[in-house]
Amino acid sequence: MLIGALVVAFLLSIFLTPFVGKLAVKLGATDKPNERKVHIKIMPRMGGLAIFLSFFITFLIFTDDFWKQLPLLVGALVIILIGMADDIYELRAAPKFLGQILAALIIVLWGGLEVEFINLPFFTDTLQFGIFSIPITILWIVAIINAINLIDGLDGLAGGVSTIALVTIATMALIKGDSFVAMVALTVIGSTLGFLKYNFHPAKIFMGDTGALFLGYIIAVLSLLGFKNVTMISLIVPIIILGVPISDTFFAIIRRIVNKQPISAADKSHLHHCLLNLGFTHKQTVLLIYALAACFGLAAIIFSFATMWGALVLVTGLLLIIEIFVEKIGLVSSDYQPLLKMLNFKNKP
């Protein structure tokens, strides 16, 4: 059944994407080049609608209890409508943000998705979130939605990174015996892979906010379904899985604070921009970020089986590697190199 869901979603996406591309052009959902964009010609966007439709049709075919999963689907529909509106009319930040919160509220309040507590390492007591459980859950969902949206800057980038994250989630769900999370993840994987046939460089269509917001929503929800109300160590697993988009978002915030810019300000200094500036081609940059995402996924799987001390060592190592990588490529700024400068100072005679 799981493989069947993946295959059906894949074939549907291949079939539907060209039609969605034509619809996008008719509705005016096109992406025009500017100083922040990498592409040089007008492109149809809103391709994420093909991903959603493929997922939705496949989900209807393979789900055992449609009504029980209605909150998940309604939340996804809200996200899709917000994404489509933005791709057509280029909404301001406020309505997009409110739409994301609404989708999160639907799955949290109606669907009952909440992170209520965690067990702290080295302690016997649990940390109960209490009245903060709902805000924390909503914050997670909205944060991941925007993290995926921020990395959608090159052909096939957001789709590929999302697919790698979903493969990791599906793998861990299968290990845990969670067939529902695995089925949803594999369905979205199939839908995204079919779309990538048209979206990988040189792209014929962009997923737009319709796709990026939807993928972020699904990944955020599935990561919570698989890891909620567990130990602090296990709660770190979805953060590692999403290491690439979360790191890029985190250092974008740091970069804007350092440069005294509004946090919501757009720039051309994200991870993919930095790699392009170093001389990598469009395709090389995408494949390099795929490799980084795959490394994070593998680290998350290893992490989940590690002992307490092994997990702490792995996290420490990951953080050091991320920091050195960020300083090397100038993700914050060319002058931001505190760790590298410290290491060079220690190596001086």
Side-chain angles (χ1 to χ4, degrees):
M1 184 182 81
L2 296 177
I3 299 301
L6 187 149
V7 172
V8 170
F10 175 74
L11 294 175
L12 279 171
S13 186
I14 288 178
F15 174 75
L16 291 172
T17 299
F19 294 100
V20 170
K22 293 177 182 178
L23 176 64
V25 173
K26 287 184 178 180
L27 294 176
T30 55
D31 201 330
K32 300 174 180 62
N34 61 35
E35 67 279 359
R36 286 199 311 110
K37 305 291 177 66
V38 176
H39 63 282
I40 57 175
K41 64 179 182 178
I42 296 176
M43 296 285 292
R45 55 188 178 189
M46 203 177 80
L49 180 60
I51 298 175
F52 171 72
L53 291 174
S54 304
F55 158 76
F56 182 72
I57 295 169
T58 307
F59 188 86
L60 291 181
I61 295 171
F62 287 91
T63 188
D64 294 327
D65 193 346
F66 170 78
W67 296 109
K68 183 180 178 181
Q69 308 308 331
L70 198 56
L72 171 69
L73 297 176
V74 174
L77 181 60
V78 169
I79 280 292
I80 286 295
L81 292 175
I82 289 294
M84 289 176 64
D86 187 53
D87 286 336
I88 298 171
Y89 303 110
E90 296 189 5
L91 300 177
R92 293 184 178 181
K96 288 171 61 176
F97 184 66
L98 290 174
Q100 294 166 20
I101 292 177
L102 176 59
L105 282 170
I106 289 170
I107 189 64
V108 171
L109 298 182
W110 184 12
L113 180 65
E114 264 184 78
V115 179
E116 298 173 351
F117 65 87
I118 55 173
N119 294 316
L120 298 173
F122 310 116
F123 295 92
T124 56
D125 295 333
T126 60
L127 175 62
Q128 298 284 344
F129 291 135
I131 60 173
F132 297 106
S133 61
I134 289 177
I136 287 171
T137 307
I138 292 172
L139 178 63
W140 170 264
I141 295 172
V142 172
I144 299 306
I145 288 173
N146 284 283
I148 297 297
N149 196 27
L150 280 175
I151 64 167
D152 185 25
L154 295 179
D155 298 351
L157 182 55
V161 170
S162 297
T163 298
I164 292 167
L166 287 163
V167 167
T168 308
I169 290 171
T171 301
M172 300 190 71
L174 289 171
I175 292 171
K176 294 177 61 178
D178 192 332
S179 59
F180 174 74
V181 170
M183 187 274 285
V184 175
L186 287 169
T187 301
V188 182
I189 288 168
S191 302
T192 308
L193 287 175
F195 175 75
L196 279 173
K197 178 182 184 299
Y198 305 94
N199 182 237
F200 196 75
H201 187 69
K204 299 178 179 66
I205 184 173
F206 294 157
M207 68 168 58
D209 273 21
T210 309
L213 299 185
F214 170 69
L215 289 175
Y217 168 80
I218 286 292
I219 290 171
V221 170
L222 291 183
S223 64
L224 288 185
L225 284 173
F227 303 103
K228 68 172 185 172
N229 296 335
V230 287
T231 65
M232 175 68 85
I233 294 299
S234 296
L235 193 63
I236 295 173
V237 171
I239 297 175
I240 297 176
I241 292 173
L242 297 165
V244 169
I246 288 176
S247 298
D248 194 27
T249 303
F250 174 77
F251 284 104
I253 294 172
I254 298 298
R255 179 171 63 249
R256 287 157 192 170
I257 292 173
V258 169
N259 295 325
K260 298 180 180 179
Q261 296 176 331
I263 291 178
S264 60
D267 61 26
K268 203 170 182 179
S269 301
H270 286 284
L271 173 60
H272 53 278
H273 294 126
C274 291
L275 292 175
L276 288 171
N277 292 337
L278 288 175
F280 291 100
T281 66
H282 191 125
K283 189 173 292 187
Q284 287 173 338
T285 297
V286 172
L287 292 175
L288 180 57
I289 297 176
Y290 282 4
L292 290 172
C295 288
F296 275 110
L298 181 60
I301 294 173
I302 295 171
F303 183 90
S304 65
F305 290 102
T307 63
M308 183 72 68
W309 287 108
L312 291 174
V313 170
L314 181 58
V315 168
T316 302
L318 278 175
L319 291 175
L320 286 173
I321 292 170
I322 292 170
E323 177 62 24
I324 291 172
F325 181 74
V326 164
E327 293 180 18
K328 280 283 189 182
I329 67 172
L331 191 58
V332 175
S333 71
S334 57
D335 297 327
Y336 175 80
Q337 294 184 332
L339 186 57
L340 289 176
K341 289 177 180 177
M342 183 179 70
L343 292 173
N344 287 335
F345 176 79
K346 288 185 176 182
N347 289 331
K348 288 181 179 179

